[in-house]
Amino acid sequence: MIHLAPLYPQLYKILKPSFPDCLWSGKGDRKVVALTFDDGPHPQYTPQLIQVLAQHQAIANFFWLGCCVERSPQIAKEIYQRGNWVGIHGYDHTSFPLLTADALQLSLAKTQAAIAKACDLDPKDIRDVRPPNGLFTPRTLTLLRQWQYRPVMWSVVPEDWVRPGIDVVVNRVMHQVVNGSIIVLHDGAHGGQDVAATVAQLLPLLQAQGYAFVTIEQLWHESKL
């Protein structure tokens, strides 16, 4: 297996200016980071993660798979009620460029509806979308804009889904984090086994460096100021 972790910082530098309509990171003028978690909610790993976040009084952002929300609606509801931000990761983790426009629209709408039902939200308020595997094309972005969604990407990707070890993941994050970083971790079937322990190490280190935790909504708002 080829590990791409060393390439992600370089990819970010290339992709961010190339696709400015996506949210890649905050403006960098404040000591804040956005913790994001993909692929959940998971019936075992996500509740463990919720407890760690609560212990450290940290808020996070969750990009959910519609099929997982339908399986664990109570977990989804608890995450939202605790003040975390929620978004869409597709219905079943199929890469968006592989889908027809109709299939993509259905995947997004089904996930949006599942989140709205679980969290008692207006579907129109669930607009943030992170493409599975980080894969998109210009056409993908055109369609997302057309359907009133907001594409959210990342700036720190420690490749936790291949489970290189908790210390390795934590060290990768701490070496790359800067003001406004959007950090990607996983609480689903791939990488979720370690997520609570990883975050339990990571949060005190970030807090000791003075970082506060913000929502993706806050970063969007600041990007327009």
Side-chain angles (χ1 to χ4, degrees), residues 38-199:
D38 291 359
D39 296 357
H42 187 279
Q44 180 183 348
Y45 309 141
T46 305
Q48 297 168 354
L49 172 61
I50 294 170
Q51 292 308 312
V52 174
L53 291 168
Q55 285 162 15
H56 294 274
Q57 297 180 306
I59 56 168
N61 306 268
F62 291 81
F63 289 90
W64 285 331
L65 298 174
C67 62
C68 293
V69 175
E70 289 175 353
R71 281 189 217 122
S72 303
Q74 284 303 120
I75 296 173
K77 184 177 184 179
E78 182 180 357
I79 287 169
Y80 180 72
Q81 287 181 335
R82 286 175 178 261
N84 300 292
W85 191 249
V86 297
I88 296 167
H89 199 44
Y91 187 76
D92 61 3
H93 214 274
T94 303
S95 293
F96 289 171
L98 299 178
L99 297 172
T100 64
D102 286 348
L104 175 57
Q105 190 170 25
L106 181 62
S107 171
L108 297 170
K110 281 173 67 179
T111 307
Q112 189 181 49
I115 295 171
K117 182 178 177 183
C119 300
D120 194 23
L121 285 167
D122 185 331
K124 292 195 294 291
D125 292 335
I126 306 159
R127 298 169 55 208
D128 289 320
V129 175
R130 172 172 285 152
N133 306 308
L135 296 177
F136 63 91
T137 64
R139 172 181 166 275
T140 310
L141 299 183
T142 299
L143 290 171
L144 290 177
R145 273 196 303 274
Q146 188 179 313
W147 301 328
Q148 309 298 310
Y149 293 110
R150 305 187 298 190
V152 177
M153 301 306 291
W154 34 259
S155 58
V156 177
V157 187
E159 211 182 21
D160 61 321
W161 64 90
V162 300
R163 301 188 70 195
I166 291 164
D167 291 342
V168 171
V169 172
V170 170
N171 286 334
R172 285 174 179 169
V173 173
M174 295 309 298
H175 277 110
Q176 294 177 40
V177 70
V178 294
N179 290 4
S181 286
I182 296 178
I183 301 166
V184 178
L185 295 166
H186 294 76
D187 63 325
H190 301 285
Q193 300 92 328
D194 300 328
V195 72
T198 299
V199 173

